[in-house]
Amino acid sequence: MAAEPINVNEFQELARQELPKMFYDFYAGGAEDQHTLKENVEAFRRIMFQPRILVDVSRVDLSTTVLGYKISAPIMIAPTAMHKLAHPHGEIATARAAAACNTIMILSFSSTCSIEEVAASCNAVRFFQLYVYKRRDISATLVQRAERNGYKAIVLTADCPRLGRREADIKNKMIVPPLKNLEGLLPNKVISVSDGGSNLEAYANETFDASLCWEDIGWLKSITNLPILIKGILTREDAMKAVDVGVAGIIVSNHGARQLDYTPATISVLEEVVHAVGGRVPVLFDGGVRRGTDVFKALALGAQAILVGRPVIFGLAAKGEHGVRQVIEMLKNELELTMALSGCPSLNYITRSHVKTEHETPHSML
């Protein structure tokens, strides 16, 4: 029997043992040479701590709010596709874990459980991720269904006019299963296209609206009363445009390194985006988080909360709902310990001075 995992990284191997190779590679893989995939994780290792001592940390409070919703810790569940490929209970199990951990789940547009099924499964605070299709009526219908079913925000994924080249999926001839949210909205022949290799790219090219641009945020705002966050921002220029068009929040993300390889690790551009936004809207962070120390580093560089993607999927594959809960609780426990050892009894105490990035001079040397 496999040993019980004691950190988030160990769930990946459990998931690899549990999943068919095609599905494991789909979840674990990145674009092309997978440089950015590795760098998303490695870049955290180049950030060091500058802890404070003799601070009363007998009680450590991890709680925070995102768009006014209180959560137990600044750790949210990122939108990731097709959870039923990982576990039969799919997104329902993930949502129930989010509710048990008192955090927010962002339901993927490409979920294998419907908007309605997930909403009925538990009382988790849920956001809905949106891709904009060439047929805008499909995207509008999904937004309106999310709003009717109590989802609290729309997360527009904006870095996917076309699908990145994911070579493991091509080798494995990965097939897109029917997506529950699109039943009755798209003909099955579009969903099941397969011309050899991966049909993910063919599916995306058939459906995604590559003409989507900043002016279309106005259209999205016109069809919903929900706050809109933009996911996929990596530059100060795009961060400033997002604020200018009136979004409610920004998610710094390179799509888990699944789109354009050799984009920067998200943690390396977080501070640039935070400075550009200047506190006008919350900045969330996505990419490469595997430890509570990573969460602390992102918070110190200005993120309000972080999103966890692959570790949630690996926990789900290994142990279902319980595995997702374990992943979130492990990160929370590690964050709490990091805060205590850094002299931070609450999130408000975490500042830029608690970390040192490459090429910076330690305070003790000044």
Side-chain angles (χ1 to χ4, degrees):
M1 188 173 72
E4 186 71 11
I6 63 169
N7 62 56
V8 165
N9 289 306
E10 293 180 358
F11 276 99
Q12 183 162 354
E13 177 58 23
L14 294 179
R16 189 189 66 78
Q17 295 170 14
E18 197 70 31
L19 293 172
K21 183 177 187 298
M22 177 187 289
F23 297 163
Y24 173 79
D25 288 351
F26 168 70
Y27 289 130
E32 296 187 352
D33 297 325
Q34 302 190 121
H35 170 82
T36 298
L37 181 67
K38 301 180 187 79
E39 188 65 9
N40 267 358
V41 174
E42 289 294 324
F44 277 105
R45 299 178 182 176
R46 296 191 290 272
I47 301 172
M48 306 304 289
F49 291 119
Q50 298 189 134
R52 306 297 138 72
I53 62 170
L54 296 177
V55 177
D56 180 0
V57 289
S58 56
R59 300 181 69 177
V60 177
D61 180 13
L62 277 64
S63 66
T64 189
T65 59
V66 173
L67 297 187
Y69 298 100
K70 187 169 183 179
I71 53 178
S72 62
I75 300 166
M76 299 166 51
I77 294 179
T80 48
M82 299 183 281
H83 287 201
K84 280 192 176 180
L85 301 186
H87 189 275
H89 295 160
E91 290 82 5
I92 287 175
T94 307
R96 287 174 174 164
C101 295
N102 187 21
T103 193
I104 295 169
M105 173 189 180
I106 304 175
L107 180 68
S108 171
F109 182 94
S110 303
S111 62
T112 41
C113 297
S114 72
I115 289 169
E116 292 79 7
E117 287 170 336
V118 174
S121 69
C122 63
N123 63 350
V125 175
R126 299 170 308 276
F127 297 171
F128 180 68
Q129 178 212 25
L130 180 70
Y131 288 99
V132 175
Y133 272 20
K134 292 175 183 176
R135 280 188 54 189
R136 295 283 178 94
D137 61 307
I138 292 175
S139 296
T141 295
L142 293 174
V143 166
Q144 289 154 7
R145 281 168 56 188
E147 188 164 358
R148 281 199 309 271
N149 283 276
Y151 290 72
K152 303 303 184 184
I154 300 299
V155 175
L156 175 66
T157 293
D159 58 3
C160 204
R162 293 173 59 181
L163 207 67
R165 183 175 173 82
R166 304 166 192 177
E167 294 180 357
D169 293 341
I170 295 170
K171 290 178 181 177
N172 292 331
K173 303 188 186 308
M174 176 70 186
I175 301 300
V176 178
L179 301 177
K180 198 68 179 288
N181 285 324
L182 297 177
E183 287 182 357
L185 297 177
L186 275 178
N188 287 334
K189 68 180 181 64
V190 175
I191 297 174
S192 60
V193 166
S194 180
D195 299 319
S198 165
N199 81 328
L200 292 172
E201 183 175 1
Y203 172 77
N205 289 344
E206 182 73 28
T207 55
F208 289 3
D209 187 353
S211 74
L212 189 70
C213 59
W214 287 106
E215 288 73 18
D216 293 314
I217 303 301
W219 163 78
L220 183 54
K221 292 171 74 173
S222 76
I223 64 170
T224 181
N225 293 315
L226 295 177
I228 296 164
L229 297 89
I230 291 188
K231 180 174 181 284
I233 286 177
L234 294 171
T235 65
R236 65 183 303 276
E237 292 84 359
D238 281 349
M240 293 168 70
K241 284 182 180 178
V243 173
D244 289 344
V245 298
V247 302
I250 283 170
I251 302 175
V252 176
S253 173
N254 55 29
H255 210 106
R258 295 163 72 79
Q259 280 298 97
L260 179 62
D261 202 11
Y262 295 92
T263 54
T266 43
I267 194 65
S268 70
V269 299
L270 171 60
E271 197 167 21
E272 171 186 327
V273 171
V274 168
H275 286 164
V277 169
R280 289 172 287 178
V281 298
V283 176
L284 309 181
F285 173 85
D286 172 62
V289 171
R290 300 294 183 270
R291 287 279 189 180
T293 49
D294 298 337
V295 180
F296 185 102
K297 291 171 184 178
L299 298 175
L301 294 175
Q304 183 172 340
I306 65 94
L307 278 55
V308 183
R310 285 185 179 90
V312 165
I313 286 290
F314 296 146
L316 181 66
K319 295 188 170 193
E321 177 186 335
H322 179 64
V324 178
R325 290 174 64 172
Q326 279 187 288
V327 164
I328 296 169
E329 293 299 334
M330 283 176 178
L331 291 174
K332 285 169 63 174
N333 291 340
E334 290 178 0
L335 174 60
E336 182 181 27
L337 179 59
T338 304
M339 289 170 62
L341 295 177
S342 298
C344 297
S346 73
L347 300 180
N348 292 335
Y349 282 78
I350 301 175
T351 67
R352 179 62 175 81
S353 66
H354 282 96
V355 295
K356 178 176 73 71
T357 57
E358 275 191 310
H359 312 305
E360 288 182 326
T361 304
H363 290 176
S364 59
M365 296 175 64
L366 294 179

